[in-house]
Amino acid sequence: MGGQNPHAVSRDYRIDRRRFMATASTVAGLGLVGSVSARSGPPSAGAKDGNDDPEAQSLDVVDEEWLSDRLVEYTFDNPLVDPPLDQTNTRVFVPSGYHESEETYPTLYLFHGGPGSAADWTTDDSGPGPLQNYFDADIVVVMPDGTDGWHSDWYNDGAFGPPKWETYHVEQLIPFIENEFRVRSTRQGRIAAGFSMGGVGSLTLGARHPDLYAGVYALSGTPYLLDYAKEVVESGDWGPGMEGRLGAWGDPREQETRWKGHNAQYITENLQNTRVHIAVGNDGPIEPRAYEFGVELVERLDAANVEHDFYVNHDRGHSYEWTHQDIKRLQDDFLDVFQRDPVDPSGFNYRSIEPCFDVWDWQVNRPALTRETAEFLDLENVTADRFTVTGRGKIEFVTPGFYEPQGRFAITADGKTSSVNPGVVTADDEGRLSFTVKAGPPGRPNGGVPEESAVGDRKKVEISIMRR
């Protein structure tokens, strides 16, 4: 994973919601400023391109009801997910003794299957369930609504707009929980897990936001492989699950890259610092598909050198009965992840199709790329001294605060300054550097970029950063 970063200080990578706004003013025309929640939400992985879509404001709580001394349900008005929901609920289950203690707890974000609701985990009485019957770990459990939204901001056949589930879960819900409850506001204090669609969502959110979650747990998750998705669409024989996927990511025959950018099996290298657990079975009409996809995903995780477990019970069916058993047996595993030392991501790899994103405190913007155009950008072996970027057109960077404030640093691309602007950069007061790299010809601004176009003519550039 690369050597130690000689410029970085040891720290936990928390969501610093002020960073996006604080550094953007230092970069004229960089276009990196996104919407920041009033509750200090993290920047979105999605594009912020001046459209009329609703933005991520702080959550509007219209009701708070304690269903027991440990279980509370919040109801929100939220235009990000209206439609399909004019109001959305989240249930939170706190540890025994929470109200009497002063302890700060880690958080498990637990996503239901689709279509479902925030109530599923605490009302389903199959197996050892509901959750409050058996969950006794000192962990705050957050169970939000997701209907059949696939934890994504929807493509909506190019119209975009609501529902924006990824923005809700990342920019709104995490800040709300960390403001309302005594929980750890660090990556090492968060895990995402879920059943079926929720398992896919855990993988998706974990891979697209590897700096937010220390572990992801996909329980009977069924991420479609692209070739299979194309066959299903071609046949015309699909159910609500495919309807949701088509809304979220478009026709897989036309939006291949968009599908890949939102499914963990195509961006597995993003999970290299994340604990991954896959649990599947092989019984009934649905679970064998989860097993098939799980086998393929594990092969990709192996190839990307991602820490993972593959838990298989061939008698297992596709139901909460089995998934409650998963959550019960995994409590110690969750605690083990929470007790690990914070990750040093020096040398990380990351793939994204987004025009603008922020990962491990690196801010990246492709100003010529609109949200209608889905194409990959790859970062490899990223450290304070050097990294490789593969993409097209102008790529704008703001680094983490690795460097001596007001220090001067020379930046080269493949040993030259001709593709970097400026070639010598002065670190700002927070130790950040801002510069632009030109990587080949610009991308084509259209909505149906095929995989060949999105990858084939990209340019790979080696960036070096040296103290002057």
Side-chain angles (χ1 to χ4, degrees), residues 180-246:
E180 296 294 325
F181 293 87
R182 292 193 318 278
V183 294
R184 292 160 54 183
S185 58
T186 64
R187 175 188 190 269
Q188 205 56 40
R190 303 184 201 98
I191 281 175
F195 164 60
S196 191
M197 183 195 74
V200 177
S202 301
L203 289 165
T204 296
L205 295 175
R208 285 172 59 84
H209 304 276
D211 52 351
L212 294 189
Y213 306 97
V216 295
Y217 293 72
L219 313 174
S220 293
T222 54
Y224 276 19
L225 295 171
L226 191 60
D227 288 344
Y228 176 78
K230 290 178 180 178
E231 292 174 4
V232 172
V233 171
E234 193 72 37
S235 73
D237 182 19
W238 66 72
M242 179 55 80
E243 290 282 359
R245 288 172 165 97
L246 292 173

Side-chain angles (χ1 to χ4, degrees), residues 63-81:
D63 191 33
E64 174 183 347
E65 180 182 3
W66 282 89
L67 306 176
S68 73
D69 63 341
R70 296 178 61 189
L71 181 64
V72 59
E73 180 174 85
Y74 292 95
T75 301
F76 307 116
D77 278 339
N78 189 358
L80 286 185
V81 294

Side-chain angles (χ1 to χ4, degrees), residues 47-59:
K48 304 294 183 184
D49 57 2
N51 61 79
D52 294 329
D53 294 348
E55 297 292 352
Q57 306 299 322
S58 58
L59 286 171

Side-chain angles (χ1 to χ4, degrees), residues 1-56:
M1 292 299 297
Q4 286 291 100
N5 186 333
H7 302 289
V9 296
S10 176
R11 59 173 177 167
D12 197 354
Y13 281 76
R14 64 188 64 225
I15 307 178
D16 182 358
R17 284 80 168 187
R18 298 169 298 176
R19 67 193 183 198
F20 220 46
M21 297 297 291
T23 60
S25 61
T26 69
V27 189
L30 194 57
L32 278 173
V33 180
S35 172
V36 179
S37 165
R39 289 186 185 270
S40 298
S44 171
K48 304 294 183 184
D49 57 2
N51 61 79
D52 294 329
D53 294 348
E55 297 292 352

Side-chain angles (χ1 to χ4, degrees), residues 127-369:
L131 180 92
Q132 59 269 36
N133 281 6
Y134 63 84
F135 197 91
D136 57 7
D138 285 339
I139 299 169
V140 171
V141 185
V142 179
M143 298 158 283
D145 274 338
T147 64
D148 57 352
W150 296 98
H151 303 274
S152 293
D153 292 359
W154 277 35
Y155 176 62
N156 281 327
D157 200 27
F160 297 92
K164 302 179 75 171
W165 292 106
E166 181 177 4
T167 299
Y168 164 53
H169 291 315
V170 171
E171 291 194 35
Q172 292 183 310
L173 187 60
I174 291 177
F176 175 81
I177 294 299
E178 293 179 0
N179 184 69
E180 296 294 325
F181 293 87
R182 292 193 318 278
V183 294
R184 292 160 54 183
S185 58
T186 64
R187 175 188 190 269
Q188 205 56 40
R190 303 184 201 98
I191 281 175
F195 164 60
S196 191
M197 183 195 74
V200 177
S202 301
L203 289 165
T204 296
L205 295 175
R208 285 172 59 84
H209 304 276
D211 52 351
L212 294 189
Y213 306 97
V216 295
Y217 293 72
L219 313 174
S220 293
T222 54
Y224 276 19
L225 295 171
L226 191 60
D227 288 344
Y228 176 78
K230 290 178 180 178
E231 292 174 4
V232 172
V233 171
E234 193 72 37
S235 73
D237 182 19
W238 66 72
M242 179 55 80
E243 290 282 359
R245 288 172 165 97
L246 292 173
W249 312 313
D251 189 323
R253 300 166 298 181
E254 300 172 357
Q255 296 292 329
E256 179 173 322
T257 306
R258 196 177 306 278
W259 272 68
K260 288 186 173 182
H262 285 90
N263 283 272
Q265 63 267 41
Y266 301 106
I267 50 175
T268 50
E269 54 267 69
N270 294 2
L271 292 165
Q272 285 178 336
N273 290 291
T274 306
R275 164 88 165 100
V276 178
H277 182 93
I278 312 294
V280 296
N282 209 9
D283 187 50
I286 299 176
E287 195 65 15
R289 187 66 65 188
Y291 173 77
E292 178 184 341
F293 293 153
V295 169
E296 174 69 17
L297 177 60
V298 166
E299 291 177 357
R300 294 172 184 261
L301 293 169
D302 283 334
N305 196 30
V306 174
E307 177 195 1
H308 64 275
D309 284 336
F310 189 36
Y311 179 86
V312 179
N313 181 338
H314 288 282
D315 295 328
R316 174 198 186 104
H318 198 77
S319 71
Y320 275 102
E321 177 180 0
W322 292 96
T323 309
H324 279 303
Q325 293 181 32
D326 289 329
I327 297 299
K328 183 176 181 179
R329 71 176 171 82
L330 286 168
Q331 291 180 85
D332 287 343
D333 198 273
F334 298 152
L335 292 171
D336 175 70
V337 172
F338 289 136
Q339 291 165 4
R340 296 182 181 185
D341 292 333
V343 164
D344 176 2
S346 182
F348 74 86
N349 299 329
Y350 186 72
R351 301 194 81 201
S352 178
I353 63 169
E354 301 300 336
C356 174
F357 61 85
D358 183 351
V359 63
W360 295 113
D361 214 5
W362 287 80
Q363 300 166 23
V364 181
N365 183 44
R366 293 182 278 176
L369 193 66

Side-chain angles (χ1 to χ4, degrees), residues 18-33 363 396-401 405-406 421-422 424-436:
R18 298 169 298 176
R19 67 193 183 198
F20 220 46
M21 297 297 291
T23 60
S25 61
T26 69
V27 189
L30 194 57
L32 278 173
V33 180
Q363 300 166 23
E396 299 171 330
F397 293 92
V398 178
T399 73
Q406 305 307 315
N421 184 34
V424 177
V425 182
T426 300
D428 68 13
D429 291 341
E430 294 185 348
R432 298 176 178 272
L433 305 179
S434 303
F435 56 91
T436 299

